Each structure stands twice: as structure tokens, then as C-alpha cells.
Amino acid sequence: MADPKIYRASTTAPVNIAVIKYSRSPSFAQLIHYRDTDCQTYRYWGKRDPRLNLPTNSSLSVTLSQRDLRTHTTASCSSTYAGPDSLLLNGADQSLETPRSIACLKSLRSLRAELEANNTSLPTLSTLPLRIVSKNNFPTAAGLASSAAGFAALIRAIANLYELPQPPEDLSLIARQGSGSACRSLLGGYVAWDVGHADDGSDSKARIVASKEHWPEMRALILVVSAEKKAVSSTAGMQATVATSELFKARVQVVPGRMKEMEDAIKRKDFAKFARLTMKDSNNFHACCLDTEPPIRYTNDVSWAAMQVVEDMNKTSSEGDVAAYTFDAGPNAVIYYTTDNRSVVEGRFDGVLTGKEGWVSSGNGLKREPNHADETLRNGISRVIMTSVGDGPVNIQDHLINEKGEASESTT
Ligand code: DP6
């Protein structure tokens, strides 16, 4: 008789925010569509198989605390499930029939099948339908890297369910196929994703640059400008930029040096250096977006007001650079600072952000007349998330699927 057991495993996974941004290589179709007369673009980016989701450059991010931003996922499988594989995200059914999800599930199943082939006493979970339930504690698709935490949690939960022995660095090769930035969310602290050189992408994976404990003073203030879905998806936008922007070709030349400098700044806990590089990379990335055909603009007036406040604060502070802004594929600002300068940075935003959901006053207050940027921020920000550097995925026993295989509420 078939084993009727419901096998379950749960995890939480973090969001990460890049300080050196990743870009996805264009698809075959885009390479052909955008190829110039002498096939330069094709030759430039067509070297490795676009289906592997390989980046054009290495990237580096800070993993954020799961207290504030996390995806909680339970993966389960059973011979009693009718199938096909299913995913319930924040109470809504999501398709797992996308090329990205199919690629991830196929890789995880084949690793489990290898284990089963080597040890016939193991239950054959690799052939059973999967039922997955997932919940975010933050708005999905608000430009808050939900796909990074989502795919990282999906991969980690299934790897736990299948009791895969691979280290997170190896699982990052699978997560990358789901969403590029997800590969960095399998690790905690300060994480690089190396571009790699192998044609099969086997060396394009995540690596810890420094643990959370190395530099625990890092804080992130997230200014949520809009909780609406992104107008241009980051995937399509990035690929168009890589395929059409002349400026982007210069970007990939400078990123390797910037990566080295950033790793060094993190190792030496040199915030001023970290800040300069973070802002430079964000501005360079968004300049390339604007240089795309047709142009892409992710930031808006509120984002620019945040940049202005940070630039002014750094210019006037006696401590030098005390804060760094960065923007992903949307208008939300992420502002990094350390606890050493908390009173200067939080004090600068106090008054402007007082009353916003998530803002905890540092007690300093605005000691001057609000300027135009302050007003733009006050009117344009819907909520604030104040968080810090955090750990990688955590395996938990709090299941979102009960013993009968039904979706259930978290027990915490
Ligand atoms: C701008 O990982 O969301 O945030 O791989 O297409 O799913 P896909 O994209 P995603 O891209 C995020 C890009 C970025 C920069 C970064 O996080 O490195």
C-alpha cells in the first residue's frame, strides 16, 4: 500500500538589498531582436546560455533581518495529494507552471532522486506531488524584493523536505533560476553573487563576504514610496537595458573593481567607503536604465527627495558620509547607516517621517524649517520599515500545512 504520510518542512527566508546591482543577461529572442548590424550585441552577451539566468556582472547585497521582512514557506508532499504541484501565496493560488518554477522544482527533484537511488530505504519523495504554502510579512511586488525571499524560501523548504545535503552555496545555483537576487537570500550577512565563467553557469553562485556578526551595526531604513505593483518588471527592464544601453557596456567594465573595493570596505567596516560605492552603483545602474531603448525610469520625485536629503546630510555632517541610498527596480529608497550615526541619520528624518507607519522616533525632532525635499518625502511616503542586517534562512517547525495536508494558520 502507498505510504499515506504527509511529509512537511518549513523555513523562513530573508529579503536582501543589493549595494552592487545585478543584471540578467538578455534572452535569445531579445538578442536577436536587438542585434545591431554587425551582431556586436549578440557576440557580447550571447556567450553563455540565457536560459541559465546568468548575470552580466557580480553583485553584492546585505541580507535584511527577518524580524521585519521575511517569507515563511512550508513544503509538503504526499502520495495522498492529487497533484499537480501547487503553491498558495498569501492565500492566493499561484502557478508553478512557469519556466522558472519548473526549472527549480526539476533540479530539486533530481537531487532527491539521486539520494533515493543511492539509498533504497529512503521514501521516494521525488515522485510525489508537492503542496506549498507561503506567506510574506510585507506587501508582495511593492519593490521590496519579494521574489528574492519567495524563491529562497521555496528552494530552502523543498531542500529541507528532501533532506538534501547540499550547502546553501550550491542551492543558490537552483535559486538563481527562479529569480537572480534569490540566490543571495540563501545566505545571511553580506553576500556576493559571483558572475562566474563556466559555460554551464556552475560557478555563478552566492558566497558569504562577511557574517552578520562581523558588522552587526548596519541598519536599513526603507522608505516605501508606493505599494503598487511595479510598472516595468525588473526582469524585462534589466534585459532591455543589457541589450540596448551603450552605457551598460561601460558599467560591466567598472563593476569588477567596485566589487573588490566593496568587499574590502565591508571587511574593514569602512562605512564612508561603503556609502560612496553603494550610491555610485545605484546611480550608475539607474543611469543605464535611462539609457535603455525605450528609456526606463524606476525612481520618481519622492526617490529624488530621499537622495537629496542623504546627499545634504553627508555634505553637512561632521562625521562625513553617514548614510547611503540605493534603489532597486522601483521608487522605494533603502537608506543604509550604522548605529554609530543613528542619532544623526534618524534625527534628520524625524519630523519628516513622524506619524508614518513603522517610524520609531529617535527623539531628536526636526530642528529647522522643512525644505522642499522634506515636504516631498512627507507627502510621498506611505510607510517606513526600520531594519538591520540579518541571518539567512531559518528552519522552523511552525508549519503552514497541517498533518492532514491542508493549509493552516501559523502558530506564532
Ligand atoms: C535591481 O532578482 O528580481 O534588484 O532575476 O529577473 O527575477 P529576476 O530579477 P530580480 O532582480 C533584481 C534586480 C535588482 C538588483 C539586485 O537585486 O541585484
Side-chain angles (χ1 to χ4, degrees):
M1 204 183 84
D3 167 17
K5 189 171 166 186
I6 309 285
Y7 293 89
R8 297 177 297 171
S10 297
T11 192
T12 59
V15 160
N16 71 76
I17 299 291
V19 289
I20 307 279
K21 308 289 183 196
Y22 133 77
S23 289
R24 183 185 269 257
S25 299
S27 64
F28 275 135
Q30 278 173 314
L31 284 169
I32 289 159
H33 178 73
Y34 288 118
R35 106 186 125 187
D36 36 30
T37 43
D38 61 356
C39 293
Q40 277 293 337
T41 307
Y42 193 91
R43 270 209 295 275
Y44 208 79
W45 299 117
K47 286 175 282 192
R48 299 201 285 180
D49 185 347
R51 284 167 303 191
L52 295 168
N53 185 23
L54 294 166
T56 55
N57 53 267
S58 298
S59 57
L60 200 152
S61 58
V62 180
T63 303
L64 300 184
S65 169
Q66 295 179 61
R67 259 195 332 258
D68 306 298
L69 297 164
R70 54 143 185 78
T71 299
H72 176 180
T73 297
T74 298
S76 76
C77 62
S78 173
S79 63
T80 64
Y81 293 168
D85 297 334
S86 68
L87 167 64
L88 194 68
L89 170 64
N90 294 330
D93 283 317
Q94 301 282 319
S95 173
L96 283 172
E97 290 297 311
T98 61
R100 292 171 176 219
S101 301
I102 291 169
C104 292
L105 298 188
K106 195 171 157 211
S107 303
L108 291 162
R109 280 199 163 103
S110 83
L111 291 176
R112 172 68 192 184
E114 262 175 47
L115 286 184
E116 291 164 1
N118 292 329
N119 180 354
T120 49
S121 70
L122 290 176
T124 48
L125 305 188
S126 61
T127 57
L128 302 179
L130 285 160
R131 190 170 288 175
I132 295 153
V133 176
S134 210
K135 272 187 186 149
N136 291 336
N137 67 348
F138 57 91
T140 305
L144 288 174
S146 56
S147 67
F151 269 106
L154 180 82
I155 304 303
R156 186 67 267 176
I158 299 174
N160 294 347
L161 179 74
Y162 288 169
E163 297 185 346
L164 300 181
Q166 279 75 14
E169 288 81 355
D170 288 356
L171 294 175
S172 78
L173 293 166
I174 301 177
R176 186 194 76 208
Q177 299 176 62
S179 185
S181 52
C183 77
R184 300 185 309 240
S185 273
L186 283 172
L187 296 165
Y190 302 82
V191 182
W193 168 15
D194 293 316
V195 61
H197 299 289
D199 284 346
D200 64 356
S202 55
D203 54 354
S204 181
K205 53 184 180 176
R207 161 175 65 88
I208 294 185
V209 169
S211 67
K212 177 189 89 175
E213 288 72 27
H214 165 74
W215 202 3
E217 296 86 3
M218 187 65 76
R219 294 291 174 271
L221 167 63
I222 306 176
L223 307 179
V224 181
V225 173
S226 152
E228 278 159 33
K229 261 183 169 288
K230 290 178 265 181
V232 184
S233 94
S234 51
T235 308
M238 277 190 288
Q239 291 183 306
T241 300
V242 175
T244 63
S245 166
E246 285 302 313
L247 204 53
F248 191 81
K249 290 177 183 151
R251 170 168 170 75
V252 288
Q253 302 301 322
V254 299
V255 168
R258 199 174 279 163
M259 274 294 290
K260 278 205 189 83
E261 285 187 76
M262 183 61 94
E263 287 195 36
D264 186 57
I266 291 169
K267 285 183 180 138
R268 288 190 293 106
K269 297 167 68 164
D270 179 346
F271 186 80
K273 194 72 195 260
F274 172 93
R276 278 289 124 208
L277 292 167
T278 297
M279 293 186 284
K280 218 172 170 46
D281 196 75
S282 176
N283 292 335
N284 180 234
F285 177 86
H286 289 277
C288 292
C289 294
L290 206 58
D291 187 44
T292 303
E293 296 169 25
I296 299 168
R297 194 180 70 144
Y298 290 117
T299 53
N300 63 16
D301 287 353
V302 185
S303 322
W304 278 78
M307 281 186 237
Q308 196 184 321
V309 167
V310 171
E311 292 283 359
D312 286 352
M313 181 163 42
N314 286 340
K315 207 160 61 196
T316 52
S317 155
S318 54
E319 311 296 323
D321 290 331
V322 290
Y325 54 76
T326 186
F327 299 85
D328 282 344
N332 298 337
V334 176
I335 298 169
Y336 285 116
Y337 58 104
T338 62
T339 46
D340 310 347
N341 294 310
R342 173 183 263 160
S343 63
V344 182
V345 179
E346 294 181 5
R348 175 64 186 78
F349 284 101
D350 218 358
V352 177
L353 298 176
T354 301
K356 299 284 176 200
E357 184 187 344
W359 177 252
V360 179
S361 169
S362 66
N364 282 331
L366 192 65
K367 295 187 187 68
R368 45 175 189 75
E369 278 300 297
N371 61 24
H372 183 65
D374 294 333
E375 293 296 356
T376 307
L377 285 181
R378 206 193 327 250
N379 295 330
I381 286 167
S382 56
R383 63 181 276 198
V384 170
I385 298 165
M386 299 176 85
T387 189
S388 53
V389 57
D391 291 315
V394 180
N395 302 337
I396 54 172
Q397 292 306 316
D398 179 10
H399 300 306
L400 297 172
I401 295 176
N402 66 20
E403 282 159 359
K404 293 186 203 143
E406 300 154 344
S408 62
E409 283 307 308
S410 157
T411 53
T412 54

